[in-house]
Amino acid sequence: MPHTLQYRPLLIDSLISSPRINSYQSVFNTKNDVELMGVYLWNSHVCGALYPIISAAEVLLRNAIDRALVAHLGSFWWGATKLQYKSYSPSVVAPFSVRVVKENFASATASFLQERKKRFGTPQNVPPNPHGIVAKTEFSTWEHILDHEFIGPGLIWPSQLGKVFLGTWPSPSTAATLTTAKDLVKTVRDFRNRIFHHEPAWKGYGVKTEAQAIAHLLGKLNKIKELLVLIHPECIKLLEVNGLMLAAQRACTAEEIERFKHIAKTHDICSLDELNVLITTVDKNRTIVKVRAMAAEAKKDEEPAEPTMGPTFLMCAT
């Protein structure tokens, strides 16, 4: 049971560190170390629920861009002779976004070749695989390729933007849609970096209460959904029909925080009628609840049977 663990000094003070976990105490109003460790683990739970959604957004975005640009410019479309930009001048250093794209592809190429040689002993002079290089790119590549340096006559945008983003555009203007897409990718990438580096996912400007922390998480989740729908509506449907969106939304609730704090209500069920009512409630609210089966002991006399505790289990909507 959680109340039997020795949280201090080993778990909280030494292995996690007090400064790192103290921010949870004020925001989530924890009353003891059990609740404090609970919300700390809840954050990990949220990150785990968000991970497949963010990963899908990154992979689907890069593949959508790569597919369109391969058809337009051919394999290795990121080469200097193929990928042109608006302010090019032989005597002027390339703008920041252009440099990021080129440096990321150079790094991805080196990483791909190094890994292939390590795994298979492939000689360095063997031509690299463009699909392998794309898979090695940093997420920032796909943010900066959406920069306005690449929009103009003869450039990749606007001619290919409609082949990348097949959902409903936020504006009929190509430039405005490009800006919106880049902003969405930046938001998702920054949030992804927090999660992948084990930072508190709920932290953000002005977040001082549990309700604000939940709203912050749901806001980020909505931004990921917006990006996925902009790529193609089927992208979000893929995650929804497999229960991943529901799992992420359910993780970002006060009920889940209470469950991890070990203060959630346990529903004692004594009959099938009570169980059916609870199932309906759980399905409606899309929550996870703790259920304890109660059994009545049979007695020889006519006195009412006293209920006894049976097994405890979790119930959730699917």
Side-chain angles (χ1 to χ4, degrees):
M1 297 297 291
H3 293 275
T4 64
L5 297 176
Q6 296 181 9
Y7 293 97
R8 298 179 192 266
L10 179 63
L11 292 174
I12 292 177
D13 298 328
S14 300
L15 297 182
I16 296 174
S17 82
S18 295
R20 186 171 181 82
I21 203 172
N22 281 345
S23 60
Y24 289 81
Q25 189 165 9
S26 58
V27 171
F28 295 97
N29 193 29
T30 59
K31 297 179 174 56
N32 51 56
D33 287 342
V34 174
E35 293 186 15
L36 182 60
M37 183 59 70
V39 291
Y40 180 83
L41 294 176
W42 165 79
N43 178 73
S44 297
H45 172 63
V46 168
C47 292
L50 290 169
Y51 176 86
I53 298 173
I54 293 177
S55 296
E58 180 176 358
V59 171
L60 292 169
L61 173 68
R62 81 182 184 203
N63 287 345
I65 294 174
D66 181 60
R67 182 190 63 248
L69 298 188
V70 165
H72 180 56
L73 298 175
S75 299
F76 303 100
W77 51 263
W78 52 87
T81 60
K82 295 183 178 182
L83 186 62
Q84 300 175 3
Y85 57 95
K86 185 164 47 181
S87 63
Y88 171 77
S89 174
S91 59
V92 178
V93 176
F96 177 72
S97 285
V98 176
R99 295 201 311 272
V100 169
V101 171
K102 292 183 178 296
E103 289 167 4
N104 281 2
F105 271 108
S107 176
T109 301
S111 177
F112 172 81
L113 292 172
Q114 183 180 18
E115 180 180 291
R116 189 159 71 170
K117 182 171 179 60
K118 181 179 179 180
R119 292 178 63 188
F120 306 110
T122 306
Q124 290 288 348
N125 59 354
V126 173
N129 184 317
H131 299 292
I133 293 172
V134 168
K136 288 288 186 184
T137 54
E138 296 286 339
F139 199 173
S140 60
T141 309
W142 312 105
E143 173 190 337
H144 291 286
I145 197 65
L146 297 172
D147 191 83
H148 277 240
E149 272 295 328
F150 298 106
I151 188 171
L155 304 180
I156 57 175
W157 319 130
S159 65
Q160 302 304 306
L161 200 64
K163 298 176 183 177
V164 174
F165 298 111
L166 300 172
T168 302
W169 284 18
S171 167
S173 165
T174 301
T177 297
L178 186 67
T179 297
T180 297
K182 184 178 181 181
D183 289 345
L184 284 173
V185 176
K186 176 174 172 50
T187 298
V188 173
R189 184 172 74 87
D190 289 344
F191 187 53
R192 174 254 200 201
N193 288 344
R194 286 197 65 82
I195 289 177
F196 283 26
H197 291 91
H198 311 293
E199 296 292 330
W202 52 269
K203 275 192 175 181
Y205 179 76
V207 173
K208 296 180 180 179
T209 67
E210 178 181 301
Q212 290 170 341
I214 292 171
H216 177 75
L217 289 170
L218 293 176
K220 297 297 184 183
L221 182 58
N222 283 334
K223 290 296 183 182
I224 302 170
K225 290 168 64 176
E226 285 180 39
L227 177 59
L228 287 166
V229 170
L230 185 58
I231 297 169
H232 198 292
E234 287 295 306
C235 295
I236 194 69
K237 290 179 183 178
L238 172 69
L239 301 177
E240 288 174 342
V241 300
N242 286 283
L244 296 176
M245 290 303 303
L246 173 59
Q249 292 165 346
R250 183 164 52 209
C252 303
T253 60
E255 289 80 7
E256 280 295 85
I257 294 174
E258 288 188 353
R259 188 166 71 86
F260 274 83
K261 279 183 173 181
H262 298 283
I263 60 173
K265 175 185 176 181
T266 298
H267 297 263
D268 291 332
I269 299 298
C270 300
S271 69
L272 287 177
D273 288 341
E274 290 180 354
L275 181 60
N276 286 331
V277 170
L278 184 60
I279 289 173
T280 301
T281 302
V282 167
D283 186 61
K284 178 182 177 181
N285 298 332
R286 319 303 284 176
T287 55
I288 296 177
V289 298
K290 190 176 181 181
V291 180
R292 181 169 53 205
M294 303 294 288
E297 291 184 352
K299 293 188 177 181
K300 294 181 180 179
D301 52 34
E302 296 182 356
E303 294 180 6
E306 293 292 331
T308 58
M309 286 190 240
T312 300
F313 56 93
L314 296 177
M315 178 189 297
C316 66
T318 57

